Amino acid sequence: MDGDAPFGRMEITTDPMKQEEALITNARALSIEYAWFHELLKARFKAYFEENDAPFSVWDVPPPDLSQDTSVYGQILKRFGLGVEERVIILLALAPHVCPQLLDMFFSRNENYARGFTEFGGMSGAKHSGFLPTGETLAFLMAGTDLSARFRLIRFFEPEQPLVRHGIVTLEVENANEPILSGMLKFSREYLSYVTTGRDYRPDFSSDFPAKLITTNLTWDDLVLDDGTLEEVEEIHHWLIHHDTLMLDWGLARKLKPGYKSLFYGPPGTGKTLTASLLGKSTGLDVYRVDLSKIVSKYIGETEKNLAYIFDQAENKRWILFFDEADAIFGKRSQTSDAKDRYANQEISYLLQRIEDFPGVVILSSNLKANIDEAFIRRFQSIIHFPMPRPEQRKMLWMAAFSPKCELAQDIDWDEIARDYETSGGAINNIMLHCSLRAITRGDLLVKRTDILDAIKREFKKEGKTL
């Protein structure tokens, strides 16, 4: 199951030499842009301090022509049709990351009041000693005392505008009671990576970001599934490949909810996580497995906050979100008997809304379908059962499990073992590991039949089953 990159994702190379080339072209383009931006700042300050805030427009300092620029930065300008004003917003928000010294002139003090200029805006960072621009900084630069220009400026931060819609720059107002333009201009980590190193941004697993990038070295040929299960998995794969055609060319965006939601259910070790990894690998998408133990909190509102951060990070990156052992948070709502139940049910309602609005693929994994709340079940595009492999499938898994370097005893009968012992693919890998270590410890390459039977007994005992 191979395919092209889905839904018009940024074409970011993974080739090291091309990445180095992208880094150099980005640096060249941004050097040109910041030379212009510096002239713009100087002209604005001159107009303000030397000419008593004479009429000023960013158009007074002509921008460089980047229409033929091949950098990722240049591609972003062309792709989203960004004009001069949006370029100024990008450069101002990006400056602390790229050219922080350019903003030092905003540290000027108002001698009349022995403090900074209110109209410059800005804030201080916990570690960063430079000037962090806010919406007020932008208003000073682009509008000055022109109220109509100031009001127009706010439009650039409306949800349908390209900078916000694509998650490039946002205006982060922490306190709802503060003025709108007091919020910090935040340049996204994703696009920061694009316009500097030319690479995809991949956040690291941490307490602040409780999701881990999962990958696999295996291929679809290594996945052993029922024909029916595989056919349903292929539908997700086809959705990833043909999403743009379906929603845009066929005009179904008016009728269909964004994104694709699926439930994988079945016993442990039957290929649910591997399938999610392969869907990402074959379409060039990152798959993040969400650690629910770090998400769920006993404190009211914290679970929603943790989930919101995951979905906010994933919103414009087209990740596949994989919630393993999803029962912990997507389980059935309880009868409301006290405040604790009400808040738990609110968490599920919040989750339901975020999942419905998410434009990418969300996969929930559970051992039992019955454990998942029906409100989620109704909204899944597919519910895929991953059953225990049948004897013929188990034989395929056994035969592919062991390293070519080891020797298998002649009395090992895969037909007999596959028929007599119901095991999952994950359990077979555990058994293979145990047998291989036993052979290596003996100092030979031979895996004996008794090694396999002992390891099967051990695995069954671990799972609470008897032979």
Side-chain angles (χ1 to χ4, degrees):
M1 288 195 285
D2 296 322
D4 299 324
F7 17 166
R9 192 168 179 254
M10 288 296 299
E11 295 180 8
I12 301 298
T13 180
T14 57
D15 180 272
M17 291 187 66
K18 290 183 177 179
Q19 284 182 340
E20 180 64 17
E21 182 182 337
L23 184 151
I24 293 170
T25 56
N26 275 337
R28 186 183 302 123
L30 286 174
S31 294
I32 294 170
E33 284 284 85
Y34 274 111
W36 164 59
F37 184 75
H38 190 207
E39 292 303 313
L40 193 65
L41 284 177
K42 290 193 296 183
R44 181 70 191 93
F45 271 76
K46 181 178 180 181
Y48 186 69
F49 285 112
E50 297 183 18
E51 299 179 20
N52 196 25
D53 201 17
F56 175 82
S57 168
V58 293
W59 296 94
D60 293 343
V61 184
D65 180 9
L66 295 183
S67 59
Q68 303 303 315
D69 187 74
T70 59
S71 68
V72 178
Y73 174 78
Q75 290 177 43
I76 289 170
L77 298 183
K78 285 179 279 191
R79 178 172 184 170
F80 300 131
L82 303 180
V84 172
E85 296 95 334
E86 287 142 325
R87 282 165 74 173
V88 174
I89 294 171
I90 286 175
L91 293 172
L92 183 58
L94 184 60
H97 303 279
V98 178
C99 298
Q101 70 279 7
L102 290 185
L103 303 182
D104 284 352
M105 60 179 67
F106 285 106
F107 284 124
S108 303
R109 288 180 63 80
N110 188 331
E111 298 301 334
N112 293 328
Y113 301 104
R115 50 157 293 169
F117 287 84
T118 300
E119 55 269 45
F120 291 176
M123 58 177 61
S124 301
K127 301 288 185 182
H128 181 65
S129 63
F131 184 90
L132 296 176
T134 61
E136 205 63 66
T137 315
L138 181 66
F140 167 78
L141 184 57
M142 294 182 64
T145 57
D146 185 341
L147 285 182
S148 61
R150 182 184 178 92
F151 299 157
R152 279 193 292 272
L153 181 65
I154 296 173
R155 294 179 184 171
F156 286 102
F157 299 99
E158 293 173 349
E160 67 275 8
Q161 294 300 313
L163 290 179
V164 178
R165 188 170 75 247
H166 299 291
I168 302 172
V169 179
T170 51
L171 192 58
E172 300 289 317
V173 183
E174 291 188 6
N175 189 331
N177 295 321
E178 297 280 345
I180 294 173
L181 292 178
S182 68
M184 188 174 76
L185 287 176
K186 183 179 178 182
F187 196 84
S188 81
R189 293 288 178 180
E190 179 187 20
Y191 279 90
L192 176 62
S193 187
Y194 286 163
V195 302
T196 54
T197 64
R199 295 180 176 182
D200 277 321
Y201 171 64
R202 291 186 168 116
D204 294 327
F205 178 86
S206 67
S207 57
D208 293 328
F209 184 75
K212 183 177 179 60
L213 179 68
I214 56 174
T215 59
T216 180
N217 292 322
L218 301 179
T219 68
W220 290 111
D221 292 336
D222 298 304
L223 183 66
V224 178
L225 295 177
D226 264 11
D227 288 342
T229 301
L230 188 59
E231 185 177 335
E232 292 186 86
V233 169
E234 284 179 336
E235 181 178 299
I236 305 176
H237 186 255
H238 294 154
W239 185 90
L240 287 166
I241 296 171
H242 302 299
H243 170 272
D244 283 351
T245 301
L246 188 72
M247 304 298 274
L248 303 178
D249 296 351
W250 286 39
L252 294 182
R254 296 182 298 108
K255 298 182 178 181
L256 298 177
K257 290 278 188 181
Y260 192 103
K261 294 85 185 174
S262 184
L263 171 66
F264 291 1
Y265 75 97
T270 50
K272 299 186 291 294
T273 302
L274 176 57
T275 298
S277 300
L278 288 171
L279 283 168
K281 181 179 181 179
S282 61
T283 55
L285 294 178
D286 290 336
V287 183
Y288 277 86
R289 178 168 56 198
V290 181
D291 185 342
L292 292 174
S293 68
K294 297 286 195 304
I295 289 283
V296 179
S297 173
K298 64 181 179 181
Y299 298 106
I300 292 171
E302 281 298 305
T303 299
E304 292 98 319
K305 180 181 175 182
N306 294 337
L307 280 163
Y309 187 70
I310 294 288
F311 278 105
D312 289 345
Q313 287 290 305
E315 191 73 27
N316 296 293
K317 300 179 181 64
R318 305 304 189 184
W319 293 339
I320 295 174
L321 292 181
F322 181 69
F323 290 86
D324 201 6
E325 298 181 2
D327 321 46
I329 198 167
F330 297 92
K332 290 189 173 182
R333 279 177 276 197
S334 59
Q335 294 295 321
T336 303
S337 59
D338 56 27
K340 181 179 177 182
D341 290 336
R342 283 196 298 275
Y343 283 116
N345 290 344
Q346 284 176 19
E347 289 175 358
I348 294 177
S349 297
Y350 174 80
L351 267 170
L352 191 61
Q353 189 60 51
R354 288 309 302 256
I355 285 179
E356 277 204 298
D357 294 340
F358 185 64
V361 169
V362 175
I363 298 172
L364 273 59
S365 172
S366 174
N367 293 343
L368 292 171
K369 173 186 171 185
N371 290 347
I372 302 298
D373 191 279
E374 289 182 6
F376 291 107
I377 294 288
R378 289 194 300 271
R379 288 163 172 82
F380 289 133
Q381 276 76 31
S382 63
I383 298 174
I384 305 177
H385 184 214
F386 285 72
M388 288 291 283
R390 297 190 305 273
E392 61 271 22
Q393 294 170 327
R394 292 199 290 271
K395 180 181 178 181
M396 293 170 62
L397 290 166
W398 279 115
M399 292 178 68
F402 287 88
S403 167
K405 289 195 173 183
C406 75
E407 299 174 12
L408 298 172
Q410 292 185 353
D411 60 348
I412 294 174
D413 184 340
W414 291 131
D415 286 305
E416 175 195 358
I417 291 173
R419 181 187 66 241
D420 293 346
Y421 304 104
E422 186 182 51
T423 49
S424 67
I428 288 172
N429 278 339
N430 290 340
I431 294 164
M432 174 273 294
L433 173 62
H434 178 76
C435 294
S436 300
L437 285 173
R438 183 178 282 192
I440 291 170
T441 303
R442 283 196 302 262
D444 60 37
L445 301 175
L446 183 66
V447 173
K448 302 176 182 179
R449 184 174 184 275
T450 53
D451 294 337
I452 293 174
L453 295 180
D454 287 346
I456 290 173
K457 186 183 299 184
R458 170 178 157 168
E459 192 67 22
F460 275 31
K461 183 178 179 182
K462 185 176 75 176
E463 296 174 3
K465 299 193 297 186
T466 56
L467 290 174

